[in-house]
Amino acid sequence: MKIGILGYGNLGRGVELAVKENPDVELVAVFTRRNPDTVKIQTPNVPVVSADKAADWIDKIDVMILCGGSATDLPVQTPEFAKMFNVIDSFDTHAKIPAHFEKVDAAAKSSNHVAIISVGWDPGLFSLVRAYSNAILPRGKDYTFWGKGVSQGHSDALRRISGVKDAKQYTIPIEAALEAVRSGSNPDLTTRQKHLRECFVVLEEGADAAAVEREIKTMPNYFADYDTTVHFISEEELQKNHSGLAHGGFVLRSGKTGENHNHVIEFSLKLDSNPEFTTSVLVAYARAAFRLNGEGKSGCMTVFDIPPAYLSNKSAAELRAHLL
Amino acid sequence: MKIGILGYGNLGRGVELAVKENPDVELVAVFTRRNPDTVKIQTPNVPVVSADKAADWIDKIDVMILCGGSATDLPVQTPEFAKMFNVIDSFDTHAKIPAHFEKVDAAAKSSNHVAIISVGWDPGLFSLVRAYSNAILPRGKDYTFWGKGVSQGHSDALRRISGVKDAKQYTIPIEAALEAVRSGSNPDLTTRQKHLRECFVVLEEGADAAAVEREIKTMPNYFADYDTTVHFISEEELQKNHSGLAHGGFVLRSGKTGENHNHVIEFSLKLDSNPEFTTSVLVAYARAAFRLNGEGKSGCMTVFDIPPAYLSNKSAAELRAHLL
């Protein structure tokens, strides 16, 4: 399977690494909106090409993995590239998924390609666990916890505050809430009971720390509904101790059958590198897109539509013999 | 969807309960090899029918859920009933799955039915986690832990010992081994390091407790490779404290990407009733079998072949909007 990468940031580099773990997958080109001469990739003999020239590669690429952001890149890129290639994206703005799906579906169907959207771990693997466990335990309750890990959106919110030079925000699940869910008591949990928010902030020179802290802790949606701690640190300390990309989280469903039998399904991820894990998922679904398109399928799909066997490079008989 | 149940033991009763949780599913008959007059079920106005008369129900049942055992029932029943109905079974003799698959596939294909075999939690959900996580993290290691719960096979082994009147055996995962896996250290674990075996034994009058204990602890395959504890208790105590059907377990995959980034995927179940949970899975896959057959598919399948959306009674659009 020959793949292309569109966008060479954290995700693009992650796809490049994931390709090396999969002997049936070959990286043939990286596409960028920057000047290709300024982009240096890690794989020898693979060209970096201007995104404008993607149409020249239609016959040379089986699946294009789109590594842009959900805010402005993917809403445009996924429908556009689905007209030329089978595509995978990690669109993660949950509320806008239905609209994104419709646009991508029309583009992919018109050109007989397969597009799989919202691939990764949430949306993605966490969604799968929710779907399987809701089908199995209709009478129950879902819980999702994120972290411990850096939230990009919350870190961005911190950086928009006047007087803040740089910042990182960790989302931290509260152990007592997790334990309450695991006990099978089906608790009703408030936003505050589920997650803590911990902020590491570098101030501009002369900024008023107390005012910044007050503004953070009272910021609606982002911090006001949480127990939030704020640490003021130096720029060096932020670089040294808070540049990691670790993340993770938990999905649980607690449900009942019969008279009063409780069952708890729990799935969790503990990831040293959020982008490297996310892109490992993208590459597995690229394999599925390629196969499904080879069988004549087209249109937009999500993880809900893909038989698990299509992600694997093992045959159905091997999977049955060794993993069932 | 109209379903039939073949075999009215713990699993048959579990399917009957699971049907009540699914408004789109209707139980139309229970089939038994016993005298139907002696089998009393919990659902009013549903007939109990001799298994010999199943052929009379071919047009009245969309999916037959086979609730027999893997040792002698299912190897015969699944191919036989796949000639008449779409069928689901929970065949769990891992080593014999490939042979079972071939026989069932031939029967189902010859009659244009869908058969989904080895459905439940292991094989079943645990297999799914292994398949997804192997595809995502090719460079890694799988770990499966069972329990705490009663192992039927090990309890049977205890009961075959001369001097033993009745017995139950609990399989217990060792927390230190689980923690070692969760740490990402990819440990090599011996059989003894992964699980404990705890036995509750009722002796026949006059039996030699020391001799029984010695025979248990040295029994090859079943107990010799484990740290095994044996408690001698009264028949009343066994009935009162060890009749539960709770079970559960853990599947983990720990794998690396890039330079040295480790990722741990963990899935666990904590079940008050093993048969009620297993049959909740069977009913969800019955829905998939019915739909796939409605689309013209036939043959034998496993959980690896089924798109997750087929298990749900929600539409694809609802799943995308609410669970993705």
Side-chain angles (χ1 to χ4, degrees):
Chain A
M1 174 174 61
K2 295 177 196 308
I3 69 147
I5 293 172
L6 175 63
Y8 196 68
N10 278 338
L11 285 182
R13 280 189 289 273
V15 171
E16 190 180 14
L17 289 171
V19 164
K20 296 190 215 292
E21 305 290 341
N22 290 279
D24 59 330
V25 182
E26 183 194 351
L27 176 63
V28 298
V30 172
F31 298 85
T32 178
R33 286 173 303 178
R34 291 179 270 169
N35 175 349
D37 299 338
T38 67
V39 176
K40 216 179 139 41
I41 68 168
Q42 295 156 54
T43 314
N45 305 320
V46 168
V48 179
V49 181
S50 168
D52 300 336
K53 307 275 187 221
D56 300 344
W57 291 73
I58 283 181
D59 295 331
K60 304 187 190 88
I61 286 175
D62 296 315
V63 185
M64 185 73 89
I65 301 184
L66 309 181
C67 296
S70 297
T72 57
D73 299 332
L74 299 175
V76 176
Q77 289 174 346
T78 312
E80 184 185 323
F81 278 76
K83 287 182 192 146
M84 298 184 279
F85 303 98
N86 298 312
V87 296
I88 305 292
D89 83 18
S90 60
F91 186 79
D92 67 358
T93 313
H94 289 261
K96 295 184 177 170
I97 286 173
H100 186 59
F101 180 92
E102 294 304 332
K103 276 169 61 184
V104 175
D105 191 46
K109 277 194 178 130
S110 74
S111 62
N112 289 317
H113 289 110
V114 168
I116 311 181
I117 62 163
S118 301
V119 177
W121 58 273
D122 193 8
L125 301 186
F126 277 18
S127 323
L128 281 172
V129 175
R130 287 188 284 262
Y132 279 113
S133 58
N134 274 265
I136 292 163
L137 295 175
R139 179 160 46 116
K141 218 165 151 175
D142 293 320
Y143 298 88
T144 304
F145 294 84
W146 295 276
K148 180 185 174 175
V150 169
S151 159
Q152 212 48 63
H154 287 78
S155 300
D156 289 345
L158 294 176
R159 285 189 287 260
R160 285 193 295 266
I161 295 172
S162 150
V164 171
K165 189 173 184 189
D166 203 353
K168 284 280 169 73
Q169 191 269 182
Y170 294 93
T171 305
I172 305 170
I174 297 176
E175 193 61 34
L178 267 166
E179 285 305 325
V181 175
R182 287 179 184 137
S183 77
S185 69
N186 282 7
D188 288 313
L189 297 168
T190 63
T191 298
R192 191 177 301 274
Q193 286 172 319
K194 289 180 69 188
H195 295 95
L196 297 173
R197 300 207 173 274
E198 189 172 21
C199 309
F200 292 86
V201 176
V202 181
L203 290 173
E204 305 272 12
E205 227 177 279
D208 176 348
V212 168
E213 179 162 349
R214 198 165 45 241
E215 187 169 343
I216 294 172
K217 290 187 170 177
T218 57
M219 192 187 294
N221 302 318
Y222 286 89
F223 296 104
D225 297 336
Y226 298 85
D227 289 338
T228 301
T229 53
V230 180
H231 309 277
F232 294 105
I233 61 174
S234 68
E235 199 159 9
E236 297 69 44
E237 199 183 331
L238 191 78
Q239 289 298 327
K240 186 172 161 238
N241 298 333
H242 303 285
S243 302
L245 298 166
H247 217 312
F250 304 80
V251 182
L252 302 100
R253 186 167 176 86
S254 171
K256 290 196 187 298
T257 61
E259 285 294 302
N260 198 21
H261 284 135
N262 205 78
H263 310 286
V264 180
I265 301 173
E266 176 170 350
F267 179 79
S268 66
L269 295 172
K270 206 174 71 185
L271 312 174
D272 277 358
S273 165
N274 183 0
E276 287 181 18
F277 185 82
T278 297
T279 50
S280 298
V281 182
L282 297 182
V283 170
Y285 276 94
R287 187 180 284 126
F290 178 51
R291 288 197 192 161
L292 287 162
N293 191 238
E295 294 175 5
K297 302 281 197 312
S298 68
C300 189
M301 304 180 190
T302 72
V303 295
F304 298 147
D305 304 307
I306 314 293
Y310 280 68
L311 307 191
S312 174
N313 65 357
K314 298 192 173 73
S315 72
E318 278 178 289
L319 289 176
R320 285 193 296 271
H322 301 298
L323 295 181
L324 197 62
Chain B
M1 175 173 63
K2 296 177 196 309
I3 69 148
I5 292 172
L6 175 63
Y8 195 69
N10 278 339
L11 285 182
R13 278 188 291 272
V15 172
E16 189 180 15
L17 289 171
V19 164
K20 295 190 215 294
E21 305 289 341
N22 291 280
D24 59 328
V25 182
E26 184 195 350
L27 175 63
V28 298
V30 172
F31 297 84
T32 179
R33 286 174 301 179
R34 292 179 269 169
N35 175 350
D37 298 338
T38 66
V39 176
K40 217 180 139 38
I41 68 169
Q42 294 155 55
T43 314
N45 305 320
V46 168
V48 179
V49 181
S50 168
D52 300 337
K53 307 276 186 221
D56 300 344
W57 291 73
I58 283 181
D59 297 331
K60 303 186 190 89
I61 287 175
D62 297 315
V63 185
M64 186 73 89
I65 301 185
L66 308 181
C67 297
S70 296
T72 55
D73 300 331
L74 299 175
V76 177
Q77 288 175 347
T78 312
E80 183 185 325
F81 279 77
K83 287 183 193 147
M84 298 185 278
F85 304 97
N86 298 312
V87 297
I88 306 292
D89 83 17
S90 60
F91 186 79
D92 67 358
T93 313
H94 289 261
K96 295 185 176 170
I97 287 173
H100 186 58
F101 181 92
E102 294 304 332
K103 276 169 60 184
V104 175
D105 191 46
K109 277 194 177 130
S110 73
S111 62
N112 289 316
H113 289 110
V114 167
I116 311 180
I117 61 162
S118 302
V119 177
W121 57 275
D122 195 6
L125 301 186
F126 278 18
S127 323
L128 282 173
V129 175
R130 287 188 284 262
Y132 279 113
S133 58
N134 274 266
I136 291 162
L137 295 175
R139 179 159 47 114
K141 216 165 153 177
D142 292 319
Y143 297 88
T144 304
F145 294 84
W146 296 275
K148 182 183 174 177
V150 169
S151 159
Q152 212 47 64
H154 287 79
S155 300
D156 290 346
L158 293 176
R159 284 189 288 258
R160 285 193 295 265
I161 295 173
S162 151
V164 171
K165 190 173 183 190
D166 202 354
K168 283 282 169 73
Q169 191 268 185
Y170 294 93
T171 304
I172 305 170
I174 296 176
E175 194 60 34
L178 267 166
E179 285 307 325
V181 175
R182 286 179 185 137
S183 77
S185 69
N186 283 8
D188 288 314
L189 296 168
T190 63
T191 298
R192 191 178 301 274
Q193 285 172 319
K194 289 181 67 187
H195 295 95
L196 297 172
R197 300 206 173 275
E198 190 172 22
C199 309
F200 292 86
V201 176
V202 180
L203 291 173
E204 304 272 13
E205 228 178 278
D208 177 348
V212 168
E213 180 162 349
R214 197 164 46 240
E215 187 168 344
I216 294 172
K217 291 187 169 177
T218 57
M219 192 187 294
N221 302 318
Y222 285 89
F223 296 103
D225 297 336
Y226 298 85
D227 288 337
T228 300
T229 54
V230 180
H231 308 277
F232 294 104
I233 61 173
S234 69
E235 198 158 11
E236 297 70 43
E237 201 182 331
L238 191 79
Q239 290 298 327
K240 187 173 160 236
N241 298 335
H242 303 286
S243 303
L245 298 166
H247 216 312
F250 305 80
V251 182
L252 301 100
R253 185 166 177 88
S254 172
K256 289 195 188 299
T257 61
E259 284 296 300
N260 197 22
H261 285 135
N262 204 78
H263 310 287
V264 180
I265 301 173
E266 175 169 351
F267 179 78
S268 67
L269 295 172
K270 207 174 70 184
L271 312 174
D272 277 358
S273 166
N274 183 0
E276 287 181 18
F277 185 82
T278 298
T279 50
S280 298
V281 182
L282 298 182
V283 169
Y285 276 94
R287 187 180 285 125
F290 178 51
R291 288 196 191 161
L292 287 162
N293 191 238
E295 293 176 3
K297 302 280 198 311
S298 67
C300 189
M301 305 181 190
T302 73
V303 295
F304 298 146
D305 305 307
I306 314 293
Y310 280 69
L311 308 191
S312 173
N313 65 358
K314 297 192 174 72
S315 73
E318 279 178 289
L319 289 176
R320 285 193 296 272
H322 301 299
L323 295 182
L324 197 62

